[in-house]
Amino acid sequence: MSDFVRGADISQLPQLEHEGTRYSLAGKEMDCLEILRQQGINAVRIKVWNDPGNPDFFPANQSDRLAFNSPEQVIKLAQRASALGFRIMIDFHYSDWWADPQKQFMPHAWQGLPLEAVAEQLSLFTLDVLQRLRDAGVTVEWVQIGNEITHGMLWPMAFVPGNWPALAQLLIAGATAVRTFDPNCRIVLHLDAGADHELYRRWFNEAIARKVPFDVIGLSFYPCWHGSLTLLSDNLNALAHCYGKSLIVVETAYPRVLDPNKNQHWLMQHCGSEPFPATEVGQAQYLQALSRSVRSVAGGLGAGVFYWEPAMIPSPMGREQHSVWENVTLFDEHGAALSSLAVFGCS
């Protein structure tokens, strides 16, 4: 497919709905996915955890015992999205909980195994989830092998820079599973710090030297942490020139409100170097500018943008993990779709 990706990560939606969160468009309560579709979003990204909610193991026990983000929950959510015509990206964390540059916990079921056995388990798990998705009628277009793996994954086994041979073996195992599942499915390798060209060149040169297969370079770009749109654009164009691969900003967000009394609670506490104000209008302006930057990548290799958790407003149950993101969502605190969502869907 060649259509520019205007995507949303919706991984937390089942938990939000379970906790009583409701969404509306123009005053009418609706399924959040239907709102996203009507506002122009054409793709969704869904993360997979191995065994979330298991009370007997850390960090699985840090998440709800209803096992949101488990393979079973992911399949149900992907079915809903697929029925509405969304393109699907599956994001394997290969962890029982969050995986990001600060933490990459190995699933408890794989701990203590040697590298070869972990690689086999990773491959089997990947293939099993993808086959179950297919059996459920879901077409998967992209598969992420790991999430924000700037410093590797499945720590300490594949921590980098120290353990590149192990990381490459695990990535190849995951990529081989994807190719076995569907040779046309696009393999995504995803790092954070999307404006840091030296990081990306160093990392992908290592991956290529070790013959890790991939089709898409995925980037996280949050201006308050990662730098300016100008630097992101420079990196995207340089990567396009160096590697000739599709490029997708698979995570981004921008604040629509800042409050000195809450900033220490919210994860996103400022706008970085961008000139767009922390308002609904400024949020829309940022998303337009970001989409222009990605669309303008040399060779037409800028494939799209996913907004990270646009619907993660505080739930009626008051979960802390949701309220820390409330100032950057594309819905207000009552679940009403904002104009910035419609702008992004048209960008």
Side-chain angles (χ1 to χ4, degrees):
M1 294 185 182
S2 59
D3 290 347
F4 189 76
V5 175
R6 299 178 299 278
D9 191 308
I10 57 165
S11 302
Q12 294 297 115
L13 183 60
Q15 183 171 356
L16 288 156
E17 292 173 331
H18 173 76
E19 294 172 359
T21 306
R22 299 292 180 265
Y23 301 92
S24 63
L25 176 63
K28 180 182 178 181
E29 186 173 308
M30 298 170 59
D31 181 342
C32 182
L33 292 180
E34 179 62 28
I35 294 173
L36 293 174
R37 188 188 68 81
Q38 289 194 20
Q39 296 298 88
I41 301 302
N42 61 11
V44 296
R45 177 175 180 258
I46 306 172
K47 68 174 175 282
V48 186
W49 292 340
N50 286 47
D51 187 27
N54 189 323
D56 298 325
F57 299 94
F58 177 86
N61 59 8
Q62 299 302 295
S63 55
D64 197 290
R65 294 186 68 168
L66 293 176
F68 297 106
N69 303 298
S70 66
E72 293 74 21
Q73 293 275 2
V74 166
I75 291 164
K76 292 177 183 177
L77 181 56
Q79 280 182 303
R80 287 175 57 190
S82 181
L84 288 171
F86 287 105
R87 302 160 71 181
I88 309 292
M89 177 183 287
I90 298 298
D91 173 15
F92 285 95
H93 281 218
Y94 300 120
S95 181
D96 297 325
W97 196 46
W98 300 98
D100 55 46
Q102 284 72 48
K103 54 188 177 295
Q104 297 275 341
F105 297 104
M106 184 178 292
H108 70 82
W110 304 353
Q111 292 176 11
L113 298 176
L115 174 60
E116 291 73 16
V118 171
E120 181 181 13
Q121 290 302 309
L122 185 152
S123 179
L124 291 171
F125 179 75
T126 304
L127 188 56
D128 177 65
V129 172
L130 293 176
Q131 289 176 333
R132 289 165 66 186
L133 283 161
R134 175 185 281 161
D135 292 344
V138 176
T139 298
V140 177
E141 186 169 347
W142 307 274
V143 177
Q144 268 192 225
I145 307 299
N147 187 74
E148 291 189 326
I149 54 174
T150 309
H151 305 300
M153 61 187 190
L154 298 169
W155 292 350
M157 178 175 284
F159 178 85
V160 295
N163 298 327
W164 255 107
L167 176 59
Q169 185 169 339
L170 294 172
L171 293 174
I172 290 169
T176 301
V178 176
R179 291 283 190 254
T180 300
F181 166 71
D182 182 355
N184 295 315
C185 196
R186 311 279 282 169
I187 297 167
V188 182
L189 298 182
H190 169 213
L191 311 185
D192 76 321
D196 187 342
H197 180 62
E198 290 305 314
L199 163 68
Y200 277 73
R201 280 294 300 276
R202 185 170 61 250
W203 199 99
F204 279 95
N205 283 348
E206 285 276 8
I208 290 169
R210 298 174 189 278
K211 302 187 183 330
V212 176
F214 67 99
D215 306 299
V216 178
I217 296 175
L219 308 91
S220 289
F221 178 70
Y222 299 99
C224 78
W225 300 319
H226 296 153
S228 68
L229 271 172
T230 299
L231 288 175
L232 171 69
S233 182
D234 290 346
N235 187 29
L236 291 171
N237 281 287
L239 293 173
H241 175 75
C242 291
Y243 306 118
K245 301 286 187 178
S246 292
L247 297 142
I248 300 178
V249 175
V250 296
E251 291 188 25
T252 194
Y254 198 81
R256 57 180 172 79
V257 62
L258 295 173
D259 182 337
N261 296 319
K262 293 185 177 181
N263 271 354
Q264 295 306 311
H265 171 73
W266 291 333
L267 288 177
M268 208 162 289
Q269 300 174 11
H270 56 80
C271 299
S273 62
E274 296 307 316
F276 315 110
T279 63
E280 186 176 338
V281 171
Q283 189 180 53
Q285 291 171 334
Y286 164 73
L287 289 169
Q288 287 178 311
L290 173 61
S291 294
R292 285 195 299 269
S293 293
V294 177
R295 283 181 180 274
S296 66
V297 171
L301 291 171
V305 175
F306 283 84
Y307 199 93
W308 198 81
E309 294 288 1
M312 202 163 77
I313 61 176
S315 70
M317 293 176 64
R319 292 294 178 92
E320 177 80 6
Q321 70 181 63
H322 298 151
S323 62
V324 297
W325 202 246
E326 65 182 305
N327 68 319
V328 298
T329 56
L330 302 181
F331 292 81
D332 71 14
E333 64 272 21
H334 305 295
L338 299 172
S339 60
S340 47
L341 174 58
V343 169
F344 177 46
C346 294
S347 61

